[in-house]
Amino acid sequence: MKIEHSGDDHWWEGDMFKHDSSWANHGISGPGVKDHVKVYEGRELLGRVTICLAPGQEVGYSQSANDQGGSHTWTSGC
């Protein structure tokens, strides 16, 4: 299954909540642009950050982040 987001998503729905196993940041980077993505364990950006992606970064699998995500947001850095 592939799910794409173009912005912040503070409440991952059932198809994605705690079912994430790969991640990619295809966002646009530039001066003053929030271009990193932080994935949080809980919905509403609560809990620990399970993974943080820099611009252009793709992660095919991470044991510590697998099936742990509940929400994400764009940030200025990790």
Side-chain angles (χ1 to χ4, degrees), residues 35-38 49 51-55 57 75-78:
D35 57 6
H36 289 65
V37 178
K38 285 185 180 180
V49 173
I51 196 165
C52 184
L53 302 171
Q57 184 178 7
T75 66
S76 297
C78 289

Side-chain angles (χ1 to χ4, degrees), residues 6 8 10 12 22 25 32 47-48 54 56:
S6 59
D8 295 346
H10 294 199
W12 287 3
S22 64
N25 179 349
R48 71 179 177 91

Side-chain angles (χ1 to χ4, degrees), residues 5-62:
H5 295 273
S6 59
D8 295 346
D9 189 350
H10 294 199
W11 192 274
W12 287 3
E13 299 298 328
D15 287 348
M16 189 168 164
F17 183 71
K18 304 289 185 177
H19 289 99
D20 52 325
S21 58
S22 64
W23 308 262
N25 179 349
H26 294 195
I28 297 170
S29 188
V33 174
K34 293 181 177 181
D35 57 6
H36 289 65
V37 178
K38 285 185 180 180
V39 176
Y40 288 82
E41 185 174 39
R43 291 179 170 143
E44 297 297 338
L45 310 179
L46 297 174
R48 71 179 177 91
V49 173
T50 63
I51 196 165
C52 184
L53 302 171
Q57 184 178 7
E58 295 185 16
V59 177
Y61 179 79
S62 168

Side-chain angles (χ1 to χ4, degrees), residues 61-73:
Y61 179 79
S62 168
Q63 184 175 0
S64 63
N66 188 55
D67 293 337
Q68 298 296 311
S71 58
H72 75 272
T73 192

